[in-house]
């Protein structure tokens, strides 16, 4: 929520208060995706040589410092901030967020559960992350309307601090470090055999990011949350005994429907339906791809599969949000059409290749 709360607020602030162009805003939002990959190769070394929870806590501390920099810039009302400074801030924020998420998902959550509960733990943690995708922007928009952007940044810092306090409340057992751990490693970072899934998921999340980047109202994110709840019910009842392939196909059809409604209809009811469909598609597709990554991984690669899923999910969203603003300069009025095209490509790729490839290569 801390990071997502800036999605609808930061671009408006950069345009209205800091006089950024749409292209500069898009690059600033998109560079977050590149930062996510910066610390990944060092995650295994860090968690082996230092306390796992301390690595996560220090990453979140750095995230709070990055947010404090934005707060400082917001206090300089009479001066315009340089574009490169925001680019660096967003890149470093992405790196620290990626490190915290990878340690949390690939190590802390797994290590606090019994082996037979780990898939459920991963499933639950990913769902909380999805709820944050609607709750974070919802909180950001509400606070921005009531008290302004400066207070949104303070709320984001407070949420990050709350995350630190929750981690401090958990007792993580000591684990002796392994011998001969390389400083640079793909362990807990990149699942090499998951390249096809990664590519298919990142196409989906870029299309999703373009769509979410166009949401600005409180009702948009509230209806998106409603879609998440419907997705949970659908997985519990509709897809319980359904063909495996049907989940992702249904999710992409819902995403396409949401984008087509947004492109062709401007009524209030149509906006509500579109946002609900976005939430449903996000919930259904995200859950299924997460389980695909887990089932594709070999023994002792569960944490690596979680990090790879997270990287595809978060980087795709950030790139999509960034592209939404860049296209205002390059392809005015074509944002949703580009998102529709990406969703069609993702659907065809999954239907014609990815699902069959996964069924052949899965290990569980």
């Amino acid at each position: 929520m801390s990071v997502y709360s800036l999605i609808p607020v930061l671009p408006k602030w950069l345009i209205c208060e800091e006089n950024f162009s749409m292209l500069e805003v898009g690059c600033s939002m998109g560079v977050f995706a590149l930062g996510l990959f910066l610390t990944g190769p060092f995650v295994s070394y860090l968690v082996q040589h230092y306390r796992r929870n301390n690595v996560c806590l220090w990453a979140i501390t750095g995230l709070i410092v990055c947010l404090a920099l934005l707060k400082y810039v917001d206090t300089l009302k009479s001066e315009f901030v340089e574009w490169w400074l925001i680019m660096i801030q967003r890149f470093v924020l992405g790196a620290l967020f990626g490190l915290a998420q990878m340690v949390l998902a690939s190590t802390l959550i797994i290590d606090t559960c019994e082996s037979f509960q780990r898939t459920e733990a991963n499933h639950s943690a990913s769902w909380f992350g999805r709820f944050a995708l609607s709750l974070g922007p919802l909180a950001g928009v509400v606070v921005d309307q009531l008290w302004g952007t400066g207070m949104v940044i303070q709320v984001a810092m407070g949420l990050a601090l709350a995350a630190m306090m929750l981690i401090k409340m958990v007792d993580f057992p000591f684990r002796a470090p392994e011998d001969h751990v390389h400083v640079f490693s793909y362990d807990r970072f990149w699942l090499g055999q998951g390249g096809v899934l990664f590519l298919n998921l990142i196409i989906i999340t870029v299309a999703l990011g373009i769509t979410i980047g166009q949401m600005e109202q409180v009702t948009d994110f509230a209806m998106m949350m409603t879609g998440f709840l419907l997705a949970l019910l659908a997985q519990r009842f509709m897809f319980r005994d359904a063909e495996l392939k049907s989940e992702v196909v249904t999710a992409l059809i819902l995403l396409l429907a949401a984008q087509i409604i947004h492109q062709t209809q401007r009524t209030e009811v149509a906006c509500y339906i579109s946002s609900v469909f976005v939430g449903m598609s996000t919930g259904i597709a995200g859950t299924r791809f997460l389980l695909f990554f887990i089932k594709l991984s070999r023994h002792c690669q569960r944490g690596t599969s979680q990090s790879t899923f997270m990287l595809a999910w978060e980087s795709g969203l950030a790139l999509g949000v960034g592209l939404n603003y860049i296209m205002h300069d390059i392809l005015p009025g074509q944002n949703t059409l580009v998102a529709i095209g990406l969703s069609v490509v993702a659907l065809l790729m999954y239907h014609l290749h990815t699902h069959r490839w996964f069924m052949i290569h899965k290990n569980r």
Side-chain angles (χ1 to χ4, degrees), residues 7-17 25 144-145 149 325:
I7 290 177
V9 176
L10 184 62
K12 185 179 71 172
W13 177 71
L14 291 174
I15 294 167
C16 299
E17 301 292 333
V25 170
D144 186 44
Q145 291 176 352
T149 304
Y325 291 96

Side-chain angles (χ1 to χ4, degrees), residues 171-183:
D171 182 28
F172 297 97
F174 174 77
R175 176 171 290 182
E178 298 176 6
D179 296 327
H180 310 298
V181 178
H182 298 288
V183 175

Side-chain angles (χ1 to χ4, degrees), residues 286-315:
T287 301
R288 180 43 56 189
F289 268 95
L290 172 72
L291 294 175
F292 279 170
F293 273 102
I294 292 174
K295 291 180 181 294
L296 191 68
S297 61
R298 301 188 183 96
H299 181 61
C300 294
Q301 286 186 316
R302 177 183 289 271
T304 308
S305 70
Q306 299 302 292
S307 294
T308 309
F309 169 80
M310 185 278 296
L311 288 170
W313 188 265
E314 300 294 347
S315 63

Side-chain angles (χ1 to χ4, degrees), residues 156-178:
M157 293 168 65
L159 288 167
L161 186 61
M164 293 181 66
M165 293 174 65
L166 289 169
I167 292 172
K168 290 285 288 183
M169 291 169 62
V170 180
D171 182 28
F172 297 97
F174 174 77
R175 176 171 290 182
E178 298 176 6

